[in-house]
Every structure is written in structure tokens, then in C-alpha cells.
Amino acid sequence: QKEVEQNSGPLSVPEGAIASLNCTYSDRVSQSFFWYRQYSGKSPELIMSIYSNGDKEDGRFTAQLNKASQYVSLLIRDSQPSDSATYLCAVGGYGGSQGNLIFGKGTKLSVKP
Amino acid sequence: DGGITQSPKYLFRKEGQNVTLSCEQNLNHDAMYWYRQDPGQGLRLIYYSQIVNDFQKGDIAEGYSVSREKKESFPLTVTSAQKNPTAFYLCATTLTSGTDTQYFGPGTRLTVL
């Protein structure tokens, strides 16, 4: 059974701080990793994708991947109240099911002004 | 205006009724997916289609049916056999069946009266 685990939170950080969101996955053959942001009542929107070990930066967001530890994280620098949302981690690239993703249950982030 | 559209935004169903949720895309993406999201839960895959006239069951297909007669359309029918259909339903697409970056439509919220 392929699993993606996230701390459900809520994770509360003050405005301007760094928010750190973590995700672990069970299947070592996973090849692709995604972070989605979902505002309450809305659909998920893609923030970042990462495929190789190390860091990938996009503006205030940095995704970090460690395949040996089966761990992927998302850092949000200079957190803003508008970053308050649920962040979904998704894992894919399983052989024989290309295109299919396994989603974690999400971590709720609250950024306090 | 490119993208994925889902209709209706809100849908109310009486016990014993079948209802059909629409998902249309003009992105020319090959693959389409249906997910169900319950409060505090991750996304669970219902059905997916990698090519026209072909579709596969996901993890929770019982009580649901789909068709893929056109590339741009992937409607989902929630039948009376689905005992607990109240949920947020999300349609997603990927460019090809071999790519796994999924893009989501705005969703349909179904409530059983």
C-alpha cells in the first residue's frame, strides 16, 4: 500500500517567518513529487514539482527532496497571511501507473499577522 | 480562455437519484482523472482515463461510472449505489498519460438531501 504522510497541523507561524512543511512517502520507486496549495472550498493549485535530490527554489518557495530518507519538504520564506491554506503533498512516478499520484491528507498552515 | 471547467459548482441529490458531474478541458490534455475529497481527507482516485474510449478504475470506483467519448470531456455519474456521495469532487488532467503533473478544475460540491 503506497502511502504519503503529512502532519495535519494546524501549523501556525507569524507573518514574515519561515514555514516548514514536511512529507514522507512509503514507496522507494517514486520518481516525482509535488506540492499543491488548497484554499478552503477551492481546488488544489500546483506550487512546485521536484524530481531530483536537493533543493528547488521558486520565489519564496523552496522544495527539498531526499530520496534516501523518502522525505520531501516545502519551505515558505517571508510567510504572508495569504499563504494560509492547506498544503497537499503528492507523489507519483510509479511504474505501470504513469500519471497517477498519491496524495497526503494535507497540512493546514495559518500565518498570523 | 484555456482551462478545465466543472459544472455545476454545487449539486444537490435526493436519495436514490443518479447525478452526472461534468468535466471539460480545452488544454488538449490526453489524460483525465476524477477524485473525491472528504473533510480532513486526502484526494481519493475514483476513475481515470489516459485515452479516448478507455478508462480505468481507481481506488474507490464502486457506485460511480464514467465515459470518455471525446478527448475534452470526462463526465462522472454518481449512481444510487454510492451510499455516501456527499463530498467535493475534483477533475484533473495531465498533458499525456506518461506525465504526472496534474492540473485541477474548480470542483463540484455534491450534497445528498
Side-chain angles (χ1 to χ4, degrees), chain A residues 32 34 36 38 41-44 46 51 88 92-93 98-101 103-105, chain B residues 33 35 37 41-43 48 50 88 90 97-102 104-106 109:
Chain A
S32 52
F34 304 88
Y36 287 85
Q38 186 175 25
K42 302 296 185 181
S43 63
L46 181 67
Y51 299 89
L88 304 176
Q98 294 300 321
N100 289 10
L101 299 180
F103 286 83
K105 294 182 179 181
Chain B
Y33 304 80
Y35 292 93
Q37 188 177 36
Q41 300 295 314
L43 277 62
Y48 63 100
Q50 296 180 327
F88 189 39
L90 291 158
S97 59
T99 57
D100 49 17
T101 303
Q102 293 192 8
F104 286 87
R109 191 166 300 278

PDB file of all heavy atoms in Angstrom, chain A residues 32 34 36 38 41-44 46 51 88 92-93 98-101 103-105, chain B residues 33 35 37 41-43 48 50 88 90 97-102 104-106 109:
ATOM      1  N   SER A  32       8.476  11.288  -8.802  1.00  0.00           N
ATOM      2  CA  SER A  32       8.070  12.686  -8.939  1.00  0.00           C
ATOM      3  C   SER A  32       7.290  13.121  -7.701  1.00  0.00           C
ATOM      4  O   SER A  32       6.563  12.334  -7.099  1.00  0.00           O
ATOM      5  CB  SER A  32       7.217  12.857 -10.201  1.00  0.00           C
ATOM      6  OG  SER A  32       6.174  11.927 -10.222  1.00  0.00           O
ATOM      7  N   PHE A  34       5.229  16.553  -5.717  1.00  0.00           N
ATOM      8  CA  PHE A  34       4.512  17.795  -5.985  1.00  0.00           C
ATOM      9  C   PHE A  34       3.990  18.392  -4.683  1.00  0.00           C
ATOM     10  O   PHE A  34       3.625  17.672  -3.753  1.00  0.00           O
ATOM     11  CB  PHE A  34       3.316  17.531  -6.918  1.00  0.00           C
ATOM     12  CG  PHE A  34       3.699  16.868  -8.210  1.00  0.00           C
ATOM     13  CD1 PHE A  34       3.769  15.482  -8.296  1.00  0.00           C
ATOM     14  CD2 PHE A  34       3.992  17.614  -9.331  1.00  0.00           C
ATOM     15  CE1 PHE A  34       4.139  14.853  -9.470  1.00  0.00           C
ATOM     16  CE2 PHE A  34       4.357  16.995 -10.518  1.00  0.00           C
ATOM     17  CZ  PHE A  34       4.430  15.622 -10.580  1.00  0.00           C
ATOM     18  N   TYR A  36       0.916  21.059  -3.644  1.00  0.00           N
ATOM     19  CA  TYR A  36      -0.259  21.811  -4.065  1.00  0.00           C
ATOM     20  C   TYR A  36      -0.742  22.648  -2.880  1.00  0.00           C
ATOM     21  O   TYR A  36      -0.669  22.225  -1.727  1.00  0.00           O
ATOM     22  CB  TYR A  36      -1.396  20.872  -4.486  1.00  0.00           C
ATOM     23  CG  TYR A  36      -1.185  20.179  -5.807  1.00  0.00           C
ATOM     24  CD1 TYR A  36      -0.444  18.993  -5.888  1.00  0.00           C
ATOM     25  CD2 TYR A  36      -1.754  20.682  -6.983  1.00  0.00           C
ATOM     26  CE1 TYR A  36      -0.264  18.347  -7.101  1.00  0.00           C
ATOM     27  CE2 TYR A  36      -1.579  20.037  -8.198  1.00  0.00           C
ATOM     28  CZ  TYR A  36      -0.833  18.874  -8.238  1.00  0.00           C
ATOM     29  OH  TYR A  36      -0.666  18.231  -9.438  1.00  0.00           O
ATOM     30  N   GLN A  38      -4.175  24.474  -1.340  1.00  0.00           N
ATOM     31  CA  GLN A  38      -5.628  24.431  -1.458  1.00  0.00           C
ATOM     32  C   GLN A  38      -6.237  25.373  -0.425  1.00  0.00           C
ATOM     33  O   GLN A  38      -6.154  25.139   0.779  1.00  0.00           O
ATOM     34  CB  GLN A  38      -6.163  23.000  -1.253  1.00  0.00           C
ATOM     35  CG  GLN A  38      -7.640  22.874  -1.505  1.00  0.00           C
ATOM     36  CD  GLN A  38      -8.137  21.442  -1.429  1.00  0.00           C
ATOM     37  OE1 GLN A  38      -7.552  20.598  -0.773  1.00  0.00           O
ATOM     38  NE2 GLN A  38      -9.254  21.164  -2.104  1.00  0.00           N
ATOM     39  N   GLY A  41     -12.463  25.495   0.457  1.00  0.00           N
ATOM     40  CA  GLY A  41     -13.555  25.497  -0.502  1.00  0.00           C
ATOM     41  C   GLY A  41     -13.122  25.564  -1.959  1.00  0.00           C
ATOM     42  O   GLY A  41     -13.973  25.588  -2.852  1.00  0.00           O
ATOM     43  N   LYS A  42     -11.826  25.590  -2.195  1.00  0.00           N
ATOM     44  CA  LYS A  42     -11.300  25.702  -3.572  1.00  0.00           C
ATOM     45  C   LYS A  42     -10.567  24.433  -3.965  1.00  0.00           C
ATOM     46  O   LYS A  42     -10.353  23.543  -3.150  1.00  0.00           O
ATOM     47  CB  LYS A  42     -10.353  26.906  -3.674  1.00  0.00           C
ATOM     48  CG  LYS A  42     -10.980  28.227  -3.288  1.00  0.00           C
ATOM     49  CD  LYS A  42     -12.116  28.608  -4.231  1.00  0.00           C
ATOM     50  CE  LYS A  42     -12.646  29.998  -3.911  1.00  0.00           C
ATOM     51  NZ  LYS A  42     -13.780  30.347  -4.818  1.00  0.00           N
ATOM     52  N   SER A  43     -10.182  24.373  -5.234  1.00  0.00           N
ATOM     53  CA  SER A  43      -9.454  23.201  -5.717  1.00  0.00           C
ATOM     54  C   SER A  43      -7.956  23.389  -5.536  1.00  0.00           C
ATOM     55  O   SER A  43      -7.473  24.516  -5.381  1.00  0.00           O
ATOM     56  CB  SER A  43      -9.788  22.956  -7.191  1.00  0.00           C
ATOM     57  OG  SER A  43      -9.357  24.035  -7.989  1.00  0.00           O
ATOM     58  N   PRO A  44      -7.187  22.305  -5.536  1.00  0.00           N
ATOM     59  CA  PRO A  44      -5.728  22.418  -5.375  1.00  0.00           C
ATOM     60  C   PRO A  44      -5.085  23.122  -6.566  1.00  0.00           C
ATOM     61  O   PRO A  44      -5.486  22.917  -7.716  1.00  0.00           O
ATOM     62  CB  PRO A  44      -5.269  20.958  -5.298  1.00  0.00           C
ATOM     63  CG  PRO A  44      -6.488  20.183  -4.923  1.00  0.00           C
ATOM     64  CD  PRO A  44      -7.628  20.903  -5.562  1.00  0.00           C
ATOM     65  N   LEU A  46      -1.160  23.886  -8.231  1.00  0.00           N
ATOM     66  CA  LEU A  46       0.225  23.422  -8.186  1.00  0.00           C
ATOM     67  C   LEU A  46       1.164  24.565  -7.788  1.00  0.00           C
ATOM     68  O   LEU A  46       1.110  25.649  -8.355  1.00  0.00           O
ATOM     69  CB  LEU A  46       0.634  22.879  -9.553  1.00  0.00           C
ATOM     70  CG  LEU A  46       2.053  22.333  -9.679  1.00  0.00           C
ATOM     71  CD1 LEU A  46       2.208  21.066  -8.845  1.00  0.00           C
ATOM     72  CD2 LEU A  46       2.389  22.068 -11.136  1.00  0.00           C
ATOM     73  N   TYR A  51      11.983  16.555  -8.872  1.00  0.00           N
ATOM     74  CA  TYR A  51      12.249  15.214  -9.351  1.00  0.00           C
ATOM     75  C   TYR A  51      13.616  14.692  -8.913  1.00  0.00           C
ATOM     76  O   TYR A  51      13.846  13.481  -8.916  1.00  0.00           O
ATOM     77  CB  TYR A  51      12.184  15.183 -10.886  1.00  0.00           C
ATOM     78  CG  TYR A  51      10.848  15.576 -11.444  1.00  0.00           C
ATOM     79  CD1 TYR A  51      10.560  16.909 -11.731  1.00  0.00           C
ATOM     80  CD2 TYR A  51       9.851  14.643 -11.664  1.00  0.00           C
ATOM     81  CE1 TYR A  51       9.327  17.289 -12.238  1.00  0.00           C
ATOM     82  CE2 TYR A  51       8.612  15.011 -12.177  1.00  0.00           C
ATOM     83  CZ  TYR A  51       8.368  16.337 -12.454  1.00  0.00           C
ATOM     84  OH  TYR A  51       7.137  16.704 -12.949  1.00  0.00           O
ATOM     85  N   LEU A  88      -0.968  20.257   0.170  1.00  0.00           N
ATOM     86  CA  LEU A  88      -1.024  18.833  -0.143  1.00  0.00           C
ATOM     87  C   LEU A  88       0.282  18.383  -0.782  1.00  0.00           C
ATOM     88  O   LEU A  88       0.755  19.011  -1.735  1.00  0.00           O
ATOM     89  CB  LEU A  88      -2.179  18.539  -1.115  1.00  0.00           C
ATOM     90  CG  LEU A  88      -3.579  18.974  -0.684  1.00  0.00           C
ATOM     91  CD1 LEU A  88      -4.571  18.691  -1.806  1.00  0.00           C
ATOM     92  CD2 LEU A  88      -4.004  18.253   0.573  1.00  0.00           C
ATOM     93  N   GLY A  92       4.337  10.615  -7.239  1.00  0.00           N
ATOM     94  CA  GLY A  92       3.986   9.850  -8.422  1.00  0.00           C
ATOM     95  C   GLY A  92       5.172   9.157  -9.037  1.00  0.00           C
ATOM     96  O   GLY A  92       6.237   9.047  -8.430  1.00  0.00           O
ATOM     97  N   GLY A  93       4.975   8.724 -10.276  1.00  0.00           N
ATOM     98  CA  GLY A  93       6.059   8.070 -10.995  1.00  0.00           C
ATOM     99  C   GLY A  93       6.178   6.607 -10.721  1.00  0.00           C
ATOM    100  O   GLY A  93       7.225   6.003 -10.934  1.00  0.00           O
ATOM    101  N   GLN A  98       1.778   5.478 -14.745  1.00  0.00           N
ATOM    102  CA  GLN A  98       2.254   6.823 -15.015  1.00  0.00           C
ATOM    103  C   GLN A  98       1.093   7.792 -15.029  1.00  0.00           C
ATOM    104  O   GLN A  98       0.042   7.505 -15.589  1.00  0.00           O
ATOM    105  CB  GLN A  98       2.961   6.845 -16.376  1.00  0.00           C
ATOM    106  CG  GLN A  98       4.237   6.031 -16.411  1.00  0.00           C
ATOM    107  CD  GLN A  98       5.270   6.508 -15.421  1.00  0.00           C
ATOM    108  OE1 GLN A  98       5.421   7.698 -15.223  1.00  0.00           O
ATOM    109  NE2 GLN A  98       5.962   5.594 -14.791  1.00  0.00           N
ATOM    110  N   GLY A  99       1.307   8.928 -14.429  1.00  0.00           N
ATOM    111  CA  GLY A  99       0.262   9.932 -14.381  1.00  0.00           C
ATOM    112  C   GLY A  99      -0.518   9.888 -13.096  1.00  0.00           C
ATOM    113  O   GLY A  99      -1.132  10.873 -12.709  1.00  0.00           O
ATOM    114  N   ASN A 100      -0.539   8.755 -12.409  1.00  0.00           N
ATOM    115  CA  ASN A 100      -1.301   8.676 -11.170  1.00  0.00           C
ATOM    116  C   ASN A 100      -0.484   9.192 -10.002  1.00  0.00           C
ATOM    117  O   ASN A 100       0.715   8.932  -9.896  1.00  0.00           O
ATOM    118  CB  ASN A 100      -1.706   7.225 -10.901  1.00  0.00           C
ATOM    119  CG  ASN A 100      -2.763   6.733 -11.868  1.00  0.00           C
ATOM    120  OD1 ASN A 100      -3.069   7.401 -12.845  1.00  0.00           O
ATOM    121  ND2 ASN A 100      -3.298   5.570 -11.600  1.00  0.00           N
ATOM    122  N   LEU A 101      -1.137   9.939  -9.142  1.00  0.00           N
ATOM    123  CA  LEU A 101      -0.490  10.499  -7.959  1.00  0.00           C
ATOM    124  C   LEU A 101      -1.158   9.950  -6.702  1.00  0.00           C
ATOM    125  O   LEU A 101      -2.356   9.672  -6.688  1.00  0.00           O
ATOM    126  CB  LEU A 101      -0.603  12.022  -7.949  1.00  0.00           C
ATOM    127  CG  LEU A 101       0.026  12.784  -9.114  1.00  0.00           C
ATOM    128  CD1 LEU A 101      -0.188  14.284  -8.943  1.00  0.00           C
ATOM    129  CD2 LEU A 101       1.498  12.464  -9.242  1.00  0.00           C
ATOM    130  N   PHE A 103      -1.848  11.219  -2.891  1.00  0.00           N
ATOM    131  CA  PHE A 103      -1.894  12.463  -2.145  1.00  0.00           C
ATOM    132  C   PHE A 103      -1.869  12.200  -0.649  1.00  0.00           C
ATOM    133  O   PHE A 103      -2.510  11.266  -0.155  1.00  0.00           O
ATOM    134  CB  PHE A 103      -3.166  13.249  -2.479  1.00  0.00           C
ATOM    135  CG  PHE A 103      -3.143  13.890  -3.823  1.00  0.00           C
ATOM    136  CD1 PHE A 103      -3.480  13.174  -4.960  1.00  0.00           C
ATOM    137  CD2 PHE A 103      -2.787  15.224  -3.964  1.00  0.00           C
ATOM    138  CE1 PHE A 103      -3.457  13.763  -6.216  1.00  0.00           C
ATOM    139  CE2 PHE A 103      -2.765  15.819  -5.211  1.00  0.00           C
ATOM    140  CZ  PHE A 103      -3.094  15.089  -6.333  1.00  0.00           C
ATOM    141  N   GLY A 104      -1.157  13.070   0.083  1.00  0.00           N
ATOM    142  CA  GLY A 104      -1.279  13.100   1.515  1.00  0.00           C
ATOM    143  C   GLY A 104      -2.552  13.829   1.906  1.00  0.00           C
ATOM    144  O   GLY A 104      -3.243  14.424   1.064  1.00  0.00           O
ATOM    145  N   LYS A 105      -2.867  13.797   3.204  1.00  0.00           N
ATOM    146  CA  LYS A 105      -4.109  14.419   3.669  1.00  0.00           C
ATOM    147  C   LYS A 105      -3.970  15.926   3.832  1.00  0.00           C
ATOM    148  O   LYS A 105      -4.966  16.617   4.037  1.00  0.00           O
ATOM    149  CB  LYS A 105      -4.554  13.794   4.980  1.00  0.00           C
ATOM    150  CG  LYS A 105      -4.964  12.332   4.833  1.00  0.00           C
ATOM    151  CD  LYS A 105      -5.448  11.756   6.143  1.00  0.00           C
ATOM    152  CE  LYS A 105      -5.870  10.304   5.944  1.00  0.00           C
ATOM    153  NZ  LYS A 105      -6.376   9.702   7.210  1.00  0.00           N
TER     154      LYS A 105
ATOM    155  N   TYR B  33      -8.775  12.692 -14.845  1.00  0.00           N
ATOM    156  CA  TYR B  33      -8.917  11.980 -13.570  1.00  0.00           C
ATOM    157  C   TYR B  33     -10.105  12.537 -12.800  1.00  0.00           C
ATOM    158  O   TYR B  33     -10.402  13.733 -12.872  1.00  0.00           O
ATOM    159  CB  TYR B  33      -7.662  12.181 -12.706  1.00  0.00           C
ATOM    160  CG  TYR B  33      -6.384  11.771 -13.384  1.00  0.00           C
ATOM    161  CD1 TYR B  33      -5.758  12.616 -14.301  1.00  0.00           C
ATOM    162  CD2 TYR B  33      -5.797  10.545 -13.124  1.00  0.00           C
ATOM    163  CE1 TYR B  33      -4.598  12.231 -14.941  1.00  0.00           C
ATOM    164  CE2 TYR B  33      -4.631  10.159 -13.755  1.00  0.00           C
ATOM    165  CZ  TYR B  33      -4.040  11.012 -14.661  1.00  0.00           C
ATOM    166  OH  TYR B  33      -2.884  10.633 -15.302  1.00  0.00           O
ATOM    167  N   TYR B  35     -11.388  12.695  -8.734  1.00  0.00           N
ATOM    168  CA  TYR B  35     -11.087  12.469  -7.332  1.00  0.00           C
ATOM    169  C   TYR B  35     -12.285  12.845  -6.470  1.00  0.00           C
ATOM    170  O   TYR B  35     -13.096  13.706  -6.840  1.00  0.00           O
ATOM    171  CB  TYR B  35      -9.914  13.337  -6.867  1.00  0.00           C
ATOM    172  CG  TYR B  35      -8.587  12.982  -7.455  1.00  0.00           C
ATOM    173  CD1 TYR B  35      -8.131  13.616  -8.603  1.00  0.00           C
ATOM    174  CD2 TYR B  35      -7.765  12.033  -6.851  1.00  0.00           C
ATOM    175  CE1 TYR B  35      -6.889  13.310  -9.144  1.00  0.00           C
ATOM    176  CE2 TYR B  35      -6.518  11.719  -7.379  1.00  0.00           C
ATOM    177  CZ  TYR B  35      -6.093  12.362  -8.521  1.00  0.00           C
ATOM    178  OH  TYR B  35      -4.861  12.062  -9.042  1.00  0.00           O
ATOM    179  N   GLN B  37     -12.929  14.239  -2.462  1.00  0.00           N
ATOM    180  CA  GLN B  37     -12.278  14.753  -1.259  1.00  0.00           C
ATOM    181  C   GLN B  37     -13.315  14.937  -0.163  1.00  0.00           C
ATOM    182  O   GLN B  37     -14.314  15.629  -0.349  1.00  0.00           O
ATOM    183  CB  GLN B  37     -11.580  16.085  -1.539  1.00  0.00           C
ATOM    184  CG  GLN B  37     -10.727  16.571  -0.366  1.00  0.00           C
ATOM    185  CD  GLN B  37      -9.985  17.852  -0.685  1.00  0.00           C
ATOM    186  OE1 GLN B  37     -10.498  18.720  -1.381  1.00  0.00           O
ATOM    187  NE2 GLN B  37      -8.760  17.975  -0.176  1.00  0.00           N
ATOM    188  N   GLN B  41      -9.591  14.855   4.659  1.00  0.00           N
ATOM    189  CA  GLN B  41      -9.038  13.685   3.971  1.00  0.00           C
ATOM    190  C   GLN B  41      -8.271  14.113   2.729  1.00  0.00           C
ATOM    191  O   GLN B  41      -8.488  15.180   2.175  1.00  0.00           O
ATOM    192  CB  GLN B  41     -10.165  12.742   3.561  1.00  0.00           C
ATOM    193  CG  GLN B  41     -10.981  12.224   4.724  1.00  0.00           C
ATOM    194  CD  GLN B  41     -10.152  11.358   5.644  1.00  0.00           C
ATOM    195  OE1 GLN B  41      -9.412  10.481   5.202  1.00  0.00           O
ATOM    196  NE2 GLN B  41     -10.248  11.608   6.935  1.00  0.00           N
ATOM    197  N   GLY B  42      -7.397  13.245   2.303  1.00  0.00           N
ATOM    198  CA  GLY B  42      -6.707  13.483   1.049  1.00  0.00           C
ATOM    199  C   GLY B  42      -7.616  13.191  -0.126  1.00  0.00           C
ATOM    200  O   GLY B  42      -8.779  12.822   0.032  1.00  0.00           O
ATOM    201  N   LEU B  43      -7.044  13.376  -1.314  1.00  0.00           N
ATOM    202  CA  LEU B  43      -7.799  13.098  -2.524  1.00  0.00           C
ATOM    203  C   LEU B  43      -7.767  11.586  -2.805  1.00  0.00           C
ATOM    204  O   LEU B  43      -6.707  10.967  -2.775  1.00  0.00           O
ATOM    205  CB  LEU B  43      -7.187  13.837  -3.707  1.00  0.00           C
ATOM    206  CG  LEU B  43      -7.587  15.297  -3.892  1.00  0.00           C
ATOM    207  CD1 LEU B  43      -7.154  16.134  -2.724  1.00  0.00           C
ATOM    208  CD2 LEU B  43      -7.015  15.837  -5.182  1.00  0.00           C
ATOM    209  N   TYR B  48      -9.898   7.076 -13.874  1.00  0.00           N
ATOM    210  CA  TYR B  48      -9.040   7.866 -14.723  1.00  0.00           C
ATOM    211  C   TYR B  48      -9.076   7.325 -16.145  1.00  0.00           C
ATOM    212  O   TYR B  48      -9.399   6.160 -16.378  1.00  0.00           O
ATOM    213  CB  TYR B  48      -7.606   7.939 -14.196  1.00  0.00           C
ATOM    214  CG  TYR B  48      -6.853   6.628 -14.132  1.00  0.00           C
ATOM    215  CD1 TYR B  48      -5.935   6.272 -15.119  1.00  0.00           C
ATOM    216  CD2 TYR B  48      -7.036   5.765 -13.063  1.00  0.00           C
ATOM    217  CE1 TYR B  48      -5.223   5.087 -15.048  1.00  0.00           C
ATOM    218  CE2 TYR B  48      -6.334   4.576 -12.980  1.00  0.00           C
ATOM    219  CZ  TYR B  48      -5.432   4.244 -13.965  1.00  0.00           C
ATOM    220  OH  TYR B  48      -4.729   3.058 -13.894  1.00  0.00           O
ATOM    221  N   GLN B  50      -6.723   7.553 -19.770  1.00  0.00           N
ATOM    222  CA  GLN B  50      -5.483   8.001 -20.410  1.00  0.00           C
ATOM    223  C   GLN B  50      -5.670   8.261 -21.893  1.00  0.00           C
ATOM    224  O   GLN B  50      -4.804   8.881 -22.528  1.00  0.00           O
ATOM    225  CB  GLN B  50      -4.387   6.960 -20.181  1.00  0.00           C
ATOM    226  CG  GLN B  50      -4.013   6.805 -18.705  1.00  0.00           C
ATOM    227  CD  GLN B  50      -2.930   5.779 -18.477  1.00  0.00           C
ATOM    228  OE1 GLN B  50      -2.848   4.791 -19.204  1.00  0.00           O
ATOM    229  NE2 GLN B  50      -2.103   5.990 -17.474  1.00  0.00           N
ATOM    230  N   PHE B  88     -16.653  16.654  -2.046  1.00  0.00           N
ATOM    231  CA  PHE B  88     -16.159  17.611  -3.034  1.00  0.00           C
ATOM    232  C   PHE B  88     -15.491  16.794  -4.138  1.00  0.00           C
ATOM    233  O   PHE B  88     -14.586  16.008  -3.874  1.00  0.00           O
ATOM    234  CB  PHE B  88     -15.157  18.544  -2.338  1.00  0.00           C
ATOM    235  CG  PHE B  88     -14.708  19.718  -3.146  1.00  0.00           C
ATOM    236  CD1 PHE B  88     -15.589  20.417  -3.957  1.00  0.00           C
ATOM    237  CD2 PHE B  88     -13.397  20.158  -3.073  1.00  0.00           C
ATOM    238  CE1 PHE B  88     -15.166  21.520  -4.681  1.00  0.00           C
ATOM    239  CE2 PHE B  88     -12.964  21.271  -3.787  1.00  0.00           C
ATOM    240  CZ  PHE B  88     -13.845  21.960  -4.592  1.00  0.00           C
ATOM    241  N   LEU B  90     -13.396  16.505  -7.651  1.00  0.00           N
ATOM    242  CA  LEU B  90     -12.387  17.237  -8.405  1.00  0.00           C
ATOM    243  C   LEU B  90     -11.986  16.471  -9.653  1.00  0.00           C
ATOM    244  O   LEU B  90     -11.723  15.273  -9.605  1.00  0.00           O
ATOM    245  CB  LEU B  90     -11.142  17.469  -7.546  1.00  0.00           C
ATOM    246  CG  LEU B  90     -11.334  18.440  -6.394  1.00  0.00           C
ATOM    247  CD1 LEU B  90     -10.292  18.220  -5.315  1.00  0.00           C
ATOM    248  CD2 LEU B  90     -11.264  19.878  -6.904  1.00  0.00           C
ATOM    249  N   SER B  97      -0.388  10.643 -20.932  1.00  0.00           N
ATOM    250  CA  SER B  97      -0.522   9.564 -19.958  1.00  0.00           C
ATOM    251  C   SER B  97       0.806   9.270 -19.278  1.00  0.00           C
ATOM    252  O   SER B  97       0.838   8.650 -18.235  1.00  0.00           O
ATOM    253  CB  SER B  97      -1.054   8.301 -20.636  1.00  0.00           C
ATOM    254  OG  SER B  97      -0.168   7.897 -21.666  1.00  0.00           O
ATOM    255  N   GLY B  98       1.907   9.747 -19.854  1.00  0.00           N
ATOM    256  CA  GLY B  98       3.219   9.482 -19.269  1.00  0.00           C
ATOM    257  C   GLY B  98       3.744  10.607 -18.403  1.00  0.00           C
ATOM    258  O   GLY B  98       4.822  10.488 -17.818  1.00  0.00           O
ATOM    259  N   THR B  99       3.005  11.695 -18.315  1.00  0.00           N
ATOM    260  CA  THR B  99       3.397  12.796 -17.445  1.00  0.00           C
ATOM    261  C   THR B  99       2.465  12.832 -16.250  1.00  0.00           C
ATOM    262  O   THR B  99       1.313  12.420 -16.352  1.00  0.00           O
ATOM    263  CB  THR B  99       3.358  14.137 -18.181  1.00  0.00           C
ATOM    264  OG1 THR B  99       2.040  14.345 -18.698  1.00  0.00           O
ATOM    265  CG2 THR B  99       4.353  14.161 -19.321  1.00  0.00           C
ATOM    266  N   ASP B 100       2.963  13.335 -15.128  1.00  0.00           N
ATOM    267  CA  ASP B 100       2.153  13.245 -13.921  1.00  0.00           C
ATOM    268  C   ASP B 100       1.918  14.575 -13.229  1.00  0.00           C
ATOM    269  O   ASP B 100       1.481  14.597 -12.096  1.00  0.00           O
ATOM    270  CB  ASP B 100       2.738  12.216 -12.951  1.00  0.00           C
ATOM    271  CG  ASP B 100       4.229  12.416 -12.737  1.00  0.00           C
ATOM    272  OD1 ASP B 100       4.733  13.504 -13.061  1.00  0.00           O
ATOM    273  OD2 ASP B 100       4.869  11.474 -12.246  1.00  0.00           O
ATOM    274  N   THR B 101       2.177  15.679 -13.902  1.00  0.00           N
ATOM    275  CA  THR B 101       1.821  16.981 -13.335  1.00  0.00           C
ATOM    276  C   THR B 101       0.342  17.189 -13.579  1.00  0.00           C
ATOM    277  O   THR B 101      -0.087  17.383 -14.717  1.00  0.00           O
ATOM    278  CB  THR B 101       2.637  18.105 -13.978  1.00  0.00           C
ATOM    279  OG1 THR B 101       4.027  17.833 -13.800  1.00  0.00           O
ATOM    280  CG2 THR B 101       2.284  19.433 -13.331  1.00  0.00           C
ATOM    281  N   GLN B 102      -0.430  17.149 -12.513  1.00  0.00           N
ATOM    282  CA  GLN B 102      -1.879  17.234 -12.640  1.00  0.00           C
ATOM    283  C   GLN B 102      -2.372  18.651 -12.371  1.00  0.00           C
ATOM    284  O   GLN B 102      -1.906  19.316 -11.445  1.00  0.00           O
ATOM    285  CB  GLN B 102      -2.556  16.259 -11.673  1.00  0.00           C
ATOM    286  CG  GLN B 102      -2.295  14.810 -12.036  1.00  0.00           C
ATOM    287  CD  GLN B 102      -3.176  13.833 -11.296  1.00  0.00           C
ATOM    288  OE1 GLN B 102      -4.103  14.229 -10.597  1.00  0.00           O
ATOM    289  NE2 GLN B 102      -2.893  12.547 -11.461  1.00  0.00           N
ATOM    290  N   PHE B 104      -5.982  20.904 -11.820  1.00  0.00           N
ATOM    291  CA  PHE B 104      -7.310  20.651 -11.322  1.00  0.00           C
ATOM    292  C   PHE B 104      -8.331  21.660 -11.817  1.00  0.00           C
ATOM    293  O   PHE B 104      -8.040  22.848 -11.991  1.00  0.00           O
ATOM    294  CB  PHE B 104      -7.317  20.668  -9.786  1.00  0.00           C
ATOM    295  CG  PHE B 104      -6.688  19.442  -9.189  1.00  0.00           C
ATOM    296  CD1 PHE B 104      -5.323  19.386  -8.976  1.00  0.00           C
ATOM    297  CD2 PHE B 104      -7.467  18.351  -8.857  1.00  0.00           C
ATOM    298  CE1 PHE B 104      -4.733  18.252  -8.449  1.00  0.00           C
ATOM    299  CE2 PHE B 104      -6.893  17.204  -8.320  1.00  0.00           C
ATOM    300  CZ  PHE B 104      -5.526  17.165  -8.121  1.00  0.00           C
ATOM    301  N   GLY B 105      -9.543  21.172 -12.008  1.00  0.00           N
ATOM    302  CA  GLY B 105     -10.678  22.044 -12.230  1.00  0.00           C
ATOM    303  C   GLY B 105     -11.146  22.627 -10.914  1.00  0.00           C
ATOM    304  O   GLY B 105     -10.621  22.290  -9.849  1.00  0.00           O
ATOM    305  N   PRO B 106     -12.178  23.497 -10.956  1.00  0.00           N
ATOM    306  CA  PRO B 106     -12.633  24.187  -9.747  1.00  0.00           C
ATOM    307  C   PRO B 106     -13.428  23.319  -8.779  1.00  0.00           C
ATOM    308  O   PRO B 106     -13.622  23.706  -7.632  1.00  0.00           O
ATOM    309  CB  PRO B 106     -13.492  25.328 -10.293  1.00  0.00           C
ATOM    310  CG  PRO B 106     -13.953  24.835 -11.615  1.00  0.00           C
ATOM    311  CD  PRO B 106     -12.839  24.003 -12.164  1.00  0.00           C
ATOM    312  N   ARG B 109     -19.314  20.519  -5.598  1.00  0.00           N
ATOM    313  CA  ARG B 109     -19.661  20.071  -4.243  1.00  0.00           C
ATOM    314  C   ARG B 109     -21.032  19.415  -4.311  1.00  0.00           C
ATOM    315  O   ARG B 109     -22.021  20.060  -4.626  1.00  0.00           O
ATOM    316  CB  ARG B 109     -19.648  21.239  -3.263  1.00  0.00           C
ATOM    317  CG  ARG B 109     -19.735  20.794  -1.802  1.00  0.00           C
ATOM    318  CD  ARG B 109     -19.374  21.923  -0.856  1.00  0.00           C
ATOM    319  NE  ARG B 109     -18.022  22.419  -1.045  1.00  0.00           N
ATOM    320  CZ  ARG B 109     -16.930  21.867  -0.536  1.00  0.00           C
ATOM    321  NH1 ARG B 109     -17.029  20.767   0.190  1.00  0.00           N
ATOM    322  NH2 ARG B 109     -15.758  22.420  -0.754  1.00  0.00           N
TER     323      ARG B 109
END
